[in-house]
Amino acid sequence: MATKAAPRQVGDRRGWLRGSPPPRWVRLLPPFLLVSVCVAELVSSEPLDIGFLLGAIPSLAVLSYGPVATAAFGAVVVGLLNVPALQLNHPGNADLLTISFIAALSVFVALLRTRRDAHLVTVRSVAEAAQLAVLPPLPDRVGPVRCAGLYRPAQQETLVGGDFFDVRDGPFGVRAVMGDVQGHGLSAVGTVVSLLGAFRETVLDQGDLEAAAARLDRRLVVDSTSVDHAELFATALLLEFPPGTGTVRLVSCGHPAPLLLRGTKVLELDTQPGPPLGLGFFELSPPRGRTVELEPGDRLFMASDGVSESRDGTGAFYPLPDRLAVFAEESSDVLVDRLWEDLVRFCPSIRDDVSVLVLSPRLRDDGGEGDDDADADADGDADGDPGETADSHGESTGGSTGD
């Protein structure tokens, strides 16, 4: 499933008064008012001094019509004022002169608005293309791993914020990263670009996941030295699916722990989080990885703190593990959609970036790689806890999971 980014958002959050196309009823206002005034004059037994209302028609046309259509409405209005049977110019020439001036001014304003809109469309198209280059949609599958993602930036009219994630296949297996940069909105995009670029390089030439995290840390440290008081930092979670092992390796840099979906169970994978990226503490306290054995049907769920730290009207945090258990039997595509809908109902005014990533590795016991239509996401029914596996430092990483 491709990433559900800003283009998939329900409705246009800008609103028609902030740049989005006007609704249909706005376009219908000028002809409706025109017809209403004429009908009122014709059915009335006495002349109605309502000719001044026609002056609003060219002004309303500016909101949704171009200069040619606005000029046409103005010409029709001026013509109706000169029809004796309608008596719209009663009692004299004041209405005719005033409305003629308003019509001419409306045509000029419509011309300016049309040119501005064309410029904004060009600028917005370039901005969207640049942001999609930073965070392109995920494919349905990366190697043996099925992907489902959702991204909602906090800042309106943007496609990229302070959260980021990516999944790439390389010589050391499929790797994924999810992170959260200090701040959000366009001010954080530069840091997101640096981290994603560094991550994509590590997928190709960095065999050790801890060393890959250290490279991301160095990237931010170097970026900070060139800017006074930059204070750049980010949390990140790196995952690796080594080929042919049936395991996943985790390295956390201050990011919320991932959740393992095993059948209808939701298990929090204990990690030993290292310091956030960019603070320069990796040499003093480097992150330590953990390797978890997977079973057929297992899925890994990751979310930014924009999900877990969302609050309702009473100040209560969103109960992510509990709510996730309700949707655990759904396919990954449906799970992501339902979780977002549930989060919006719980906290209608979300002020932070929200990102969700669900990874479903296809193990050998899943029945092979051939059946792409059969969603193996929700087929796992094993009830055991993740087994113990020795990590690359020679230590035993326990298989118990947090509550």
Side-chain angles (χ1 to χ4, degrees):
M1 188 186 92
T3 309
K4 294 181 175 62
R8 288 280 314 264
Q9 293 178 15
V10 179
D12 195 329
R13 295 189 300 170
R14 290 174 291 161
W16 70 276
L17 292 178
R18 302 182 63 181
S20 66
R24 180 176 298 180
W25 63 267
V26 176
R27 296 181 60 85
L28 294 178
L29 275 179
F32 174 77
L33 182 59
L34 184 65
V35 173
S36 299
V37 171
C38 293
V39 170
E41 283 286 1
L42 291 175
V43 301
S44 177
S45 58
E46 297 181 358
L48 300 177
D49 190 13
I50 58 174
F52 67 93
L53 292 177
L54 296 178
I57 294 176
S59 302
L60 292 174
V62 171
L63 297 176
S64 53
Y65 292 93
V68 175
T70 302
F73 276 113
V76 171
V77 167
V78 172
L80 292 175
L81 289 173
N82 289 283
V83 176
L86 295 176
Q87 303 185 56
L88 290 172
N89 195 32
H90 181 79
N93 293 325
D95 288 343
L96 177 62
L97 295 176
T98 301
I99 294 176
S100 298
F101 175 77
I102 293 175
L105 183 62
S106 298
V107 172
F108 178 71
V109 174
L111 179 62
L112 294 181
R113 183 190 62 81
T114 302
R115 292 184 176 181
R116 185 210 62 179
D117 289 349
H119 175 71
L120 288 178
V121 168
T122 302
V123 171
R124 187 171 291 122
S125 299
V126 172
E128 290 181 356
Q131 293 177 76
L132 287 174
V134 173
L135 193 68
L138 286 176
D140 292 343
R141 183 186 296 275
V142 179
V145 179
R146 292 176 62 89
C147 308
L150 177 142
Y151 195 102
R152 293 293 188 274
Q155 184 170 328
Q156 294 185 359
E157 301 184 38
T158 62
L159 303 182
V160 179
D163 289 355
F164 63 93
F165 56 76
D166 199 6
V167 184
R168 299 276 167 161
D169 196 3
F172 310 105
V174 175
R175 285 184 180 174
V177 64
M178 170 171 280
D180 187 357
V181 172
Q182 171 201 22
H184 53 77
L186 294 177
S187 61
V189 172
T191 307
V192 170
V193 171
S194 295
L195 289 174
L196 285 177
F199 167 74
R200 290 161 185 168
E201 291 177 358
T202 64
V203 171
L204 299 176
D205 56 24
Q206 200 76 55
D208 183 74
L209 199 60
E210 288 85 349
R215 183 181 295 187
L216 268 62
D217 175 70
R218 288 197 303 273
R219 177 72 270 165
L220 280 194
V221 170
V222 171
D223 290 347
S224 297
T225 57
S226 61
V227 181
D228 294 336
H229 309 294
E231 298 180 353
L232 296 178
F233 71 89
T235 63
L237 177 66
L238 285 82
L239 291 82
E240 180 182 76
F241 299 91
T245 63
T247 63
V248 61
R249 184 154 183 80
L250 312 170
V251 172
S252 176
C253 304
H255 199 75
L259 300 174
L260 178 66
L261 306 184
R262 176 164 290 173
T264 58
K265 291 185 177 181
V266 179
L267 309 171
E268 183 174 347
L269 297 177
D270 294 329
T271 58
Q272 298 182 8
L277 304 173
L279 298 181
F281 294 154
F282 266 51
E283 294 183 0
L284 300 176
S285 177
R288 302 184 63 183
R290 177 190 177 186
T291 302
V292 176
E293 290 196 8
L294 300 175
E295 298 181 3
D298 283 354
R299 290 178 288 173
L300 290 160
F301 177 92
M302 293 158 286
S304 64
D305 57 8
V307 177
S308 57
E309 295 183 2
S310 294
R311 301 176 184 236
D312 63 6
T314 65
F317 288 105
Y318 182 69
L320 177 59
D322 296 337
R323 301 306 300 157
L324 198 58
V326 176
F327 312 132
E329 293 184 342
E330 304 286 356
S331 67
S332 295
D333 297 5
V334 177
L335 183 148
V336 168
D337 290 333
R338 294 191 61 185
L339 182 73
W340 169 250
E341 295 169 357
D342 187 64
L343 180 64
V344 172
R345 285 193 296 267
F346 182 86
C347 179
S349 58
I350 300 175
R351 302 181 180 275
D352 198 2
D353 300 316
V354 171
S355 57
V356 171
L357 184 62
V358 182
L359 302 178
S360 310
R362 181 68 65 91
L363 305 181
R364 292 179 179 177
D365 293 339
D366 285 337
E369 298 283 345
D371 187 8
D372 288 343
D373 295 331
D375 191 353
D377 296 335
D379 290 343
D381 57 1
D383 295 330
D385 291 336
E388 292 192 358
T389 307
D391 66 9
S392 62
H393 297 285
E395 299 181 359
S396 176
T397 49
S400 62
T401 57
D403 293 333

